[in-house]
Amino acid sequence: MTIKSELPLTSTHWGTYRVETDDGVIKALHGFEEDDDVSPIGTGIVDVLDAPSRIKAPMIRKSWLESGPGSNNHLRAADPFVEVSWEQAEKLVGHELSRVVKQFGNQSIYAGSYGWSSAGRFHHAQSQIHRFLNCIGGYTRSLNTYSFASAEVILPHVMGDLFALLLETTSWRSLIDHSQLLVAFGGMPLKNGQINSGGVGRHVQREQMIEAHEAGIEFVNVGPIRTDIDDSLNADWIAIRPGTDTALLIAIAKTLVDEELADKDFIEQYTVGIEEFQTYLHGIDDGIEKDAVWASKICAVPAERIRQLARQMAAARTMMSISWSLTRQHHGEHAYWAAITVAAMLGQIGLPGGGIAFGYSATNGIGGHNTRVPGASLPQGDNAVSSFIPVARISDMLLHPGEQFEYNGSSYEYPDIHLVYWAGGNPFHHHQDLNKMLEAWQKPDTIVVHEWCWNAMAKHADIVLPCTTALERNDIAISPRDPYVIDMQQAIAPVASSRNDYAIFSGIARAMGVEEEFTEGRSEQQWIEWIYQSTAERARAKGMEMPAYAEFRKSGWFKPAAPEKPVVMLQAFRDDPLANPLSTPSGKIEIFSTVVDGFDYSDCPGHATWMEPLEWLGGDISEFPLHLISNQPKTKLHSQLDHGSHSRAAKIKQREAIMLHPEDAEARSLTNGDIVRVFNHRGACLGGVTIDDQVMRGVVQMSAGAWFDPQQPASPGSLCKHGNPNVLTPDIGTSRLAQGPIAHTCMVEVEVFTGQLPELSAFDAPQTVG
């Protein structure tokens, strides 16, 4: 409709929308005219912009305000809050930062501030907080992501930088033209393809999958959940025990060797280390041949089906898609290493439609046929502090200051953190073993948070500074995985006294005497224009012309022409490995890594290896017999907009849904709609039952993202009334190499909840006094 194209634009991680307002109030979000598959997630924000869950003024925890830093930390989330003015809040934060720096040093400030905060390039919360803290001397940072930390660390040893390879993913266009078989380890869920870090202009995953299916590509879904690949693709489902993909892939490699199906020429020219790996395959050192019979006992996949899959992959132009979820398990490094090894043995890496990809439909941008816009960012400055932690080791850092930890071949020391500063993101969503984290959360003197709504992160803070949403500020959306550049136009005034992060940090910087260093004298709009002009200069250097800024603002968006040829990952390497070596130590694919082997980690040997995980269906299941998959939700991004209408409509009696196989439900006398207690020795939460044979027997699926809502706030071990599965997941590293999260290595039991159903309080504001 013409009227919709005249409405202002906003961009989010789940899509671009036209914003309809009436007398300063948002009435509706309409899908961007370029997008034929609009995500419904965005509509969930409309009814909560000015809801009781909105934070409308600076808030200070009562004990902290009255008695100072470190007072009654055990009462975080139980203490009431006191409203203060912005002037007072700026002075309090500035004074506390100065105190901590003077007494303990900048390394005692932790500002990992991990999370997907905003699609806008300027109001990207991580950039804002890091720039500000670098102006006062720096902070302890975090490395890697919760999405695929173990892959980030192992791939540079084996194949190259993960982020570079993601941007070079073989495009769906190449698959449609050349592929015959796509084997998706961990599936290709369209729910994940709704989103993209930095913004989505047009959703493409569904249409590309359908076109690939119509082109005759055969799909195989290897995973415990049938619906992790779209029904329209008629995929062959190989139901596999969670956490055993590495064993399956190793047995495929053994079959390729035994049946002389491996591409010896490719292996010789483009890889190193096949001899050491074959020694392992044949069991020369341990006496165990890693064949299909061996893997069948681990994976619960028939041995003949494993052999058939190996033959299928060798006989066709095959693309292997490896889900990001496979990295989030104990020894997750080796699932990716084993997959790369099999892809190398098939010899199709660098061919059109063949080889390997890391997560088709993990986000909307993977495999897109796009010209990448080289976006500029807000400069963060230099961090004078060298201390860091692997991103998922936050609880260990807070609980064990001064202790040593291993990471990627070296030893480091956990810093002693006295102040945590978080802007954007929510560790009470994405971190594991929340009861352990609650204990750790009592250690810092002060926790400062920027938030727009009263989620668990805000409720567990000492100082809460209310920030705006993307609809209440101007910005510009540019993503390396999406071709659209969007002029994000402020649709409404900031709700109550909320401010954008730039204004918040400018005020604190003023109180600390570093305002000029932080702002460089630029306003919000001047910084946005600076980012656009810097991007245009980068684009021009690559032969891409972007419109003048005034013209861009008038049109509202820009998209460069698509590339002439489909992208094929590592095609240049295949064409000439000497002229285009990989960034690995050898310049080749490392089936065996002398570097990793030299680290002498018992939990991460020098080649792809099956190691029994901490807990799994093949282990002791006498107490907790069900494997929990806490995957990404369909109705929100992580925990964002869980309080919105779209997410709440999918809950069962206000609780997060948990899916069980019919036989597992029958064994526990459960029916659809029952409320159950899901528990293990780490914690317990409630969930609403759905029964479906789309999940394999022995596996339960409960999406992450429900706002943490303990029955007894501030009491570790209390029942989560809402259904946050991270009260159940273990908090140990994937290995000493990467120290990544292992949320998918988790065994639980499920029983009907028989008590009085507690009232949900996840979306309620805390008590305020004064």
Side-chain angles (χ1 to χ4, degrees):
M1 294 175 61
T2 304
I3 187 172
K4 290 182 181 178
S5 66
E6 296 173 354
L7 297 173
L9 285 166
T10 193
S11 185
T12 70
H13 297 303
W14 43 85
T16 298
Y17 301 88
R18 296 281 181 182
V19 186
E20 181 181 351
T21 61
D22 181 20
D23 195 25
V25 177
I26 291 177
K27 294 299 183 182
L29 299 185
H30 302 284
F32 183 35
E33 58 269 20
E34 290 280 298
D35 194 356
D36 296 326
D37 190 17
V38 178
S39 170
I41 292 175
T43 60
I45 196 172
V46 175
D47 63 320
V48 293
L49 276 170
D50 197 8
S53 57
R54 187 68 191 258
I55 305 169
K56 298 183 178 181
M59 295 285 181
I60 314 294
R61 186 170 65 87
K62 184 174 182 288
S63 292
W64 193 98
L65 184 64
E66 292 178 346
S67 304
S71 299
N72 294 325
N73 290 352
H74 65 286
L75 294 180
R76 286 177 178 139
D79 244 353
F81 282 89
V82 180
E83 179 179 336
V84 300
S85 68
W86 271 110
E87 181 181 9
Q88 185 178 2
E90 290 165 356
K91 289 179 179 179
L92 284 170
V93 175
H95 182 272
E96 177 61 359
L97 285 166
S98 297
R99 180 191 74 85
V100 169
V101 170
K102 182 178 181 180
Q103 292 187 16
F104 308 106
N106 282 79
Q107 73 278 359
S108 63
I109 300 172
Y110 179 67
S113 201
Y114 178 87
W116 289 30
S117 51
S118 167
R121 202 75 169 180
F122 175 62
H123 289 295
H124 179 244
Q126 268 195 1
S127 298
Q128 293 282 347
I129 189 174
H130 293 167
R131 177 181 175 86
F132 166 71
L133 290 173
N134 285 336
C135 290
I136 65 168
Y139 58 94
T140 291
R141 70 196 192 280
S142 63
L143 291 183
N144 308 131
T145 68
Y146 280 85
S147 296
F148 40 47
S150 62
E152 290 177 73
V153 180
I154 192 63
L155 256 71
H157 297 290
V158 178
M159 198 179 209
D161 179 73
L162 174 63
F163 291 96
L165 292 167
L166 287 173
L167 293 177
E168 197 189 347
T169 301
T170 298
S171 67
W172 278 105
R173 185 76 265 151
S174 179
L175 268 65
I176 291 164
D177 292 342
H178 298 282
S179 290
Q180 297 169 302
L181 175 67
L182 193 155
V183 184
F185 292 87
M188 298 187 306
L190 279 172
K191 61 183 177 60
N192 295 8
Q194 293 180 94
I195 57 96
N196 190 68
S197 178
V200 177
R202 183 171 184 271
H203 289 88
V204 299
Q205 291 293 326
R206 187 190 309 274
E207 67 180 37
Q208 299 283 34
M209 286 185 195
I210 292 173
E211 190 174 348
H213 175 62
E214 292 174 346
I217 296 177
E218 182 180 354
F219 289 84
V220 178
N221 173 24
V222 182
I225 303 173
R226 182 193 293 272
T227 50
D228 271 345
I229 202 164
D230 196 64
D231 285 344
S232 66
L233 304 183
N234 296 322
D236 182 15
W237 181 31
I238 298 179
I240 182 175
R241 280 176 175 167
T244 65
D245 303 80
T246 301
L248 175 67
L249 286 158
I250 289 170
I252 290 173
K254 180 70 160 59
T255 303
L256 295 177
V257 170
D258 290 348
E259 301 188 9
E260 298 187 352
L261 298 173
D263 188 328
K264 296 179 181 178
D265 291 338
F266 184 92
I267 292 169
E268 182 177 353
Q269 188 173 1
Y270 298 99
T271 76
V272 297
I274 189 64
E275 295 83 5
E276 290 88 346
F277 183 62
Q278 286 188 337
T279 295
Y280 170 71
L281 288 181
H282 297 309
I284 292 174
D285 292 333
D286 62 9
I288 301 172
E289 290 209 36
K290 314 307 184 298
D291 58 16
V293 173
W294 165 80
S296 178
K297 297 173 183 176
I298 297 170
C299 308
V301 176
E304 186 54 31
R305 184 65 188 96
I306 297 173
R307 298 187 195 99
Q308 289 173 356
L309 181 59
R311 295 165 191 151
Q312 277 181 279
M313 295 168 74
R317 179 61 59 88
T318 299
M319 174 59 73
M320 298 170 60
S321 176
I322 315 302
S323 169
W324 295 0
S325 62
L326 299 192
T327 71
R328 299 192 296 273
Q329 57 186 335
H330 203 195
H331 312 302
E333 297 90 345
H334 287 264
Y336 265 46
W337 203 345
I340 293 168
T341 299
V342 169
M345 294 175 74
L346 291 170
Q348 299 186 33
I349 294 172
L351 292 177
I356 191 168
F358 303 113
Y360 286 114
S361 201
T363 67
N364 182 68
I366 304 295
H369 184 60
N370 303 324
T371 298
R372 183 162 62 94
V373 178
S377 302
L378 177 69
Q380 296 183 20
D382 296 323
N383 187 354
V385 173
S386 61
S387 63
F388 75 93
I389 60 165
V391 67
R393 302 274 57 80
I394 180 172
S395 292
D396 288 343
M397 172 187 69
L398 296 176
L399 289 168
H400 307 293
E403 287 193 9
Q404 297 286 310
F405 68 92
E406 296 286 326
Y407 174 76
N408 203 16
S410 297
S411 288
Y412 302 91
E413 185 177 290
Y414 287 126
D416 188 3
I417 299 299
H418 287 264
L419 187 148
V420 172
Y421 205 138
W422 216 283
N426 179 7
F428 286 89
H429 155 68
H430 57 244
H431 195 64
Q432 285 66 59
D433 196 348
L434 290 181
N435 288 309
K436 174 183 172 183
M437 197 180 87
L438 278 176
E439 295 180 8
W441 215 241
Q442 297 177 14
K443 300 297 182 179
D445 300 342
T446 301
I447 297 170
V448 185
V449 170
H450 295 195
E451 257 301 345
W452 71 279
C453 51
W454 283 111
N455 59 21
M457 180 65 180
K459 292 176 181 177
H460 285 83
D462 299 311
I463 301 175
V464 183
L465 304 179
C467 60
T468 54
T469 68
L471 294 165
E472 301 157 63
R473 60 194 183 220
N474 296 300
D475 213 326
I476 183 170
I478 311 171
S479 170
R481 297 184 200 154
D482 192 270
Y484 287 84
V485 181
I486 304 293
D487 180 33
M488 298 170 62
Q489 302 152 42
Q490 182 175 339
I492 59 172
V495 171
S497 64
S498 58
R499 296 179 177 179
N500 63 55
D501 291 310
Y502 183 61
I504 295 172
F505 285 124
S506 296
I508 300 170
R510 187 182 313 116
M512 299 184 72
V514 294
E515 181 181 14
E516 179 61 30
E517 185 177 353
F518 177 70
T519 67
E520 296 185 25
R522 291 190 177 104
S523 66
E524 171 194 73
Q525 191 55 51
Q526 288 171 328
W527 270 116
I528 293 170
E529 183 171 357
W530 181 90
I531 289 172
Y532 183 87
Q533 300 293 9
S534 300
T535 299
E537 291 177 14
R538 294 182 179 189
R540 196 173 300 114
K542 294 179 176 292
M544 179 196 306
E545 283 297 325
M546 295 177 63
Y549 185 60
E551 182 183 343
F552 165 71
R553 294 217 69 193
K554 184 177 180 180
S555 64
W557 59 277
F558 164 74
K559 179 191 175 188
E564 293 182 6
K565 295 181 180 180
V567 176
V568 177
M569 190 171 83
L570 298 185
Q571 186 173 42
F573 168 66
R574 186 185 185 100
D575 290 344
D576 192 338
L578 296 179
N580 305 291
L582 303 181
S583 58
T584 60
S586 66
K588 297 183 178 183
I589 297 167
E590 302 214 358
I591 294 174
F592 173 83
S593 167
T594 56
V595 173
V596 174
D597 187 63
F599 295 157
D600 197 27
Y601 290 153
S602 59
D603 57 358
C604 192
H607 56 71
T609 305
W610 159 254
M611 286 168 286
E612 186 171 349
L614 175 73
E615 48 196 68
W616 64 302
L617 284 169
D620 180 4
I621 59 172
S622 58
E623 190 173 6
F624 305 114
L626 300 172
H627 195 122
L628 172 66
I629 299 295
S630 52
N631 56 6
Q632 296 301 323
K634 182 179 181 180
T635 58
K636 50 188 173 281
L637 167 57
H638 303 147
S639 66
Q640 291 185 51
L641 294 185
D642 186 40
H643 60 326
S645 56
H646 184 60
S647 177
R648 293 175 80 158
K651 297 183 186 291
I652 298 173
K653 297 177 185 175
Q654 300 184 308
R655 320 296 151 163
E656 196 68 26
I658 181 168
M659 180 168 62
L660 296 88
H661 187 276
E663 293 182 24
D664 291 323
E666 183 179 6
R668 292 161 178 79
S669 302
L670 300 176
T671 60
N672 278 309
D674 283 347
I675 299 300
V676 292
R677 176 176 172 260
V678 189
F679 64 97
N680 59 21
H681 62 277
R682 287 179 289 269
C685 67
L686 299 183
V689 170
T690 63
I691 300 171
D692 202 321
D693 62 3
Q694 302 302 296
V695 63
M696 69 181 290
R697 186 178 180 185
V699 175
V700 294
Q701 178 269 321
M702 189 179 200
S703 291
W707 284 9
F708 180 53
D709 192 19
Q711 195 165 17
Q712 299 295 328
S715 298
S718 179
L719 173 75
C720 176
K721 301 178 290 182
H722 194 196
N724 187 321
N726 271 327
V727 300
L728 305 162
T729 52
D731 180 23
I732 67 168
T734 49
S735 75
R736 284 182 287 168
L737 183 84
Q739 296 282 6
I742 64 165
H744 292 317
T745 299
C746 181
M747 300 297 293
V748 300
E749 179 58 288
V750 174
E751 64 183 13
V752 69
F753 182 74
T754 56
Q756 182 177 352
L757 190 62
E759 185 176 346
L760 191 72
S761 54
F763 307 134
D764 296 343
Q767 179 188 4
T768 57
V769 296

